[in-house]
Amino acid sequence: MTSSAELRTAFLEFFRARGHEVVASSPLIPGNDPTLLFTNAGMVQFKDVFLGSDHRPYARATTAQRCVRAGGKHNDLENVGYTARHHTFFEMLGNFSFGDYFKREAIHFAWEFLTVVLKLPAEKLWVTVYASDDEAHAIWAQEIGVPVERIVRIGDNKGAAYASDNFWQMGDTGPCGPCTEIFYDHGPDVAGGPPGSPDEDGDRYIEIWNLVFMQFNRDESGTMHPLPKPSVDTGMGLERLAAVLQHVHSNYEIDLFVRLIAAAAAATNVRDLHSPSLKVIADHIRSTAFLIVDGIVPSNEGRGYVLRRIMRRAIRHGYKLGQNQPFFHRLVAPLVAEMGAAYPELAAAQDFVTRTVLGEEEQFAKTLETGMKLLESVIAELSGTVIPGEVVFQLYDTHGFPVDLTADIARERELSLDMAGFERAMEAQRARSRAASQFGTYRSDSIAVAGSTEFSGYTTLEDAGTIVALFRD
Ligand code: ATP
Ligand code: MG
Ligand code: MG
Ligand code: MG
């Protein structure tokens, strides 16, 4: 059994021994990047180094970076609880070359780490390359010796039947480039097809490592400009790697999650450790706690609203398990026990995080139950499968239910939301408040809209739009 902590160290030491500077994880709030909601990859703290506007005393670096993918370009919030491999918060192991080595060394390093250091059987590994990247294909096939049947060419997924995409980008703008990815085959007991096949979205062939050949900077108009020097940015999910090494098929069965799920079960008095709600709660306490550590507090806009949405989803899952007393804050201590050694800033903030979570639980408790009763009565009388927009709005406006929380409940019942109706109700509310505020009678803060003021990368209604899109297919 190789623990997550051992894997983190093994990775960093492997690259340190190969001339890489071990750099600490940066916070989840990108230092000076208003286009990005949260740090969503290891490369984020090095963005300006790739662009050539920042210089470091090293040309190679390695990190274990905390990441959150709960909004913006990389958003896995809707996947949590439904796939074996997605979290809102995860750790990304990465090695970086700033104009130093390129494709050949990056591929050789990755293969050596996986097959020599970790001793993964080569025949369980598949790779993908960017459709036109003959160079990467040749390195894999001829130098490494991966059989061509297990090397899949994948484009940038315009109109393809599959979802994967071998052109990586941090966000709508910024450094980007073609990539090559390494997948692990969890075996025929797990459903899913190989990368690039129509059923690739299962959990059998799991993407573990992405090696990005950073070559371009995409600007606002979408034009790609070559970077000063071709560079390398890689990212491997620590939890996915731990699942492979611990011979389990789901991230939620690794050492750390088994203990967090047990703690979630104890906090909610649940006996069945397989309840999907426990996974959601165990996942969400990590993003919640680390976002608070990194300076976010729950609020009605911007990043604070994303945090609130994550927390309320977790609280609602507790409610679904029969818990109507505050419980979520009780998971902070077990999380510190798991991760406080690797992240001393988490241990240091334990009390503050606990109080902040409890505060949100107490606040939401006032409206959660009445909101749930309203929704249950609407669902009981529903003739079709669509929850009316006015109800979604009322839950949002009066009961503090973020739209994606209502969508999460709807999805469990195979229902969808009338988002157009929701937007009309929202617009009518805005018009009323504009009219009223001319006379100074309406407290505009009581209808604070969930849109963004802190960053320019997304708005909540757009996000709600992606939720609707999810229900369409
Ligand atoms: P997937 O296709 O599985 O959603 P991705 O292609 O979006 O992953 P990348 O952007 O390439 O992921 O990130 C690099 C690595 O980080 C992935 O290969 C994976 O190991 C890990 N990773 C990405 N998203 C998550 C997540 N939500 N939870 C846990 N690990 C993740
Ligand atoms: Mg993804
Ligand atoms: Mg992928
Ligand atoms: Mg990828």
Side-chain angles (χ1 to χ4, degrees):
M1 148 85 84
T2 309
S3 71
S4 318
E6 285 164 343
L7 284 173
R8 192 193 292 115
T9 308
F11 183 91
L12 297 175
E13 287 309 319
F14 176 85
F15 283 101
R16 188 207 296 276
R18 284 157 188 75
H20 293 66
E21 177 87 7
V22 179
V23 178
S25 170
S26 66
L28 289 168
I29 311 311
N32 51 6
D33 193 340
T35 68
L36 198 60
L37 185 58
F38 300 121
T39 298
N40 58 15
M43 58 72 64
V44 168
Q45 67 166 316
F46 301 116
K47 179 184 168 189
D48 292 338
V49 187
F50 288 120
L51 295 178
S53 58
D54 182 7
H55 298 277
R56 299 288 167 98
Y58 42 82
R60 300 176 174 199
T62 182
T63 60
Q65 173 67 51
R66 55 185 182 273
C67 295
V68 165
R69 293 192 174 184
K73 178 150 193 69
H74 294 274
N75 185 358
D76 289 324
L77 189 55
E78 313 308 324
N79 286 325
V80 171
Y82 292 91
T83 75
R85 65 188 193 280
H86 288 104
H87 303 297
T88 53
F89 172 97
F90 64 101
E91 286 181 88
M92 193 185 284
L93 304 171
N95 57 292
F96 307 90
S97 153
F98 309 116
D100 187 24
Y101 60 82
F102 201 43
K103 298 185 184 181
R104 167 162 295 109
E105 290 87 335
I107 290 174
H108 280 270
F109 282 151
W111 193 256
E112 184 188 351
F113 182 69
L114 294 177
T115 61
V116 180
V117 179
L118 301 183
K119 301 193 169 52
L120 295 187
E123 64 277 9
K124 294 209 168 182
L125 298 173
W126 285 60
V127 298
T128 64
V129 298
Y130 188 57
S132 56
D133 193 348
D134 295 333
E135 188 188 348
H137 192 283
I139 297 170
W140 282 117
Q142 286 150 34
E143 297 181 23
I144 304 284
V146 175
V148 288
E149 310 82 71
R150 293 207 305 271
I151 307 178
V152 186
R153 289 181 187 262
I154 289 183
D156 41 20
N157 186 30
K158 298 230 164 43
Y162 48 81
S164 59
D165 179 332
N166 271 32
F167 194 89
W168 198 87
Q169 43 203 81
M170 176 195 85
D172 292 329
T173 61
C176 54
C179 60
T180 179
E181 297 191 320
I182 304 173
F183 286 69
Y184 181 81
D185 178 3
H186 278 264
D189 295 349
V190 186
S197 71
D199 54 345
E200 65 167 14
D201 218 22
D203 286 318
R204 173 169 173 182
Y205 297 85
I206 299 264
E207 176 191 327
I208 54 174
W209 203 344
N210 187 355
L211 319 180
V212 184
F213 306 124
M214 283 294 183
Q215 276 169 287
F216 306 102
N217 178 24
R218 191 191 292 268
D219 70 18
E220 269 109 61
S221 72
T223 311
M224 301 219 284
H225 306 277
L227 291 177
K229 291 180 194 156
S231 295
V232 169
D233 148 38
T234 88
M236 173 156 60
L238 173 61
E239 300 78 2
R240 293 187 189 185
L241 185 64
V244 170
L245 268 295
Q246 295 176 17
H247 308 292
V248 293
H249 299 319
S250 160
N251 285 12
Y252 291 92
E253 292 166 29
I254 67 171
D255 50 351
L256 176 143
F257 270 101
V258 164
R259 292 190 288 264
L260 277 185
I261 286 172
T268 51
N269 299 311
V270 168
R271 297 239 162 99
D272 173 14
L273 290 173
H274 297 289
S275 158
S277 289
L278 293 177
K279 291 185 200 164
V280 177
I281 293 167
D283 172 86
H284 287 11
I285 192 60
R286 299 212 304 165
S287 43
T288 293
F290 277 96
L291 285 171
I292 297 170
V293 168
D294 284 339
I296 308 294
V297 289
S299 76
N300 277 344
E301 46 180 31
R303 293 176 173 127
Y305 193 60
V306 179
L307 171 60
R308 170 160 283 166
R309 286 163 49 207
I310 294 170
M311 295 171 89
R312 292 192 173 189
R313 279 170 88 112
I315 298 165
R316 199 284 299 181
H317 275 281
Y319 182 87
K320 186 182 170 199
L321 295 172
Q323 197 59 35
N324 43 25
Q325 296 301 313
F327 71 95
F328 195 40
H329 65 287
R330 290 171 56 200
L331 297 175
V332 177
L335 177 67
V336 171
E338 292 299 325
M339 300 190 69
Y343 293 96
E345 56 273 63
L346 172 68
Q350 179 172 344
D351 288 346
F352 178 71
V353 175
T354 307
R355 272 184 279 119
T356 307
V357 176
L358 177 59
E360 182 70 11
E361 288 192 272
E362 287 171 344
Q363 192 177 337
F364 191 38
K366 293 181 198 143
T367 55
L368 173 61
E369 185 150 4
T370 52
M372 283 306 297
K373 286 196 173 131
L374 166 71
L375 184 56
E376 293 297 356
S377 70
V378 168
I379 290 175
E381 286 174 13
L382 207 61
S383 51
T385 58
V386 182
I387 298 176
E390 286 101 76
V391 176
V392 180
F393 180 73
Q394 200 186 336
L395 286 168
Y396 164 80
D397 190 50
T398 311
H399 302 278
F401 280 39
V403 175
D404 64 300
L405 186 151
T406 307
D408 191 35
I409 303 167
R411 185 175 175 184
E412 291 171 359
R413 323 269 176 106
E414 294 179 6
L415 302 172
S416 62
L417 308 185
D418 168 19
M419 285 308 300
F422 169 78
E423 276 160 43
R424 278 194 304 277
M426 175 82 104
E427 192 39 54
Q429 167 81 296
R430 284 203 194 103
R432 278 196 301 279
S433 93
R434 270 195 300 273
S437 68
Q438 287 173 348
F439 303 100
T441 54
Y442 201 96
R443 277 185 59 238
S444 63
D445 62 346
S446 67
I447 55 139
V449 178
S452 141
T453 53
E454 291 170 29
F455 59 93
S456 56
Y458 105 135
T459 71
T460 295
L461 285 183
E462 265 168 36
D463 239 31
T466 55
I467 294 165
V468 179
L470 239 161
F471 290 110
R472 281 198 204 106
D473 44 47

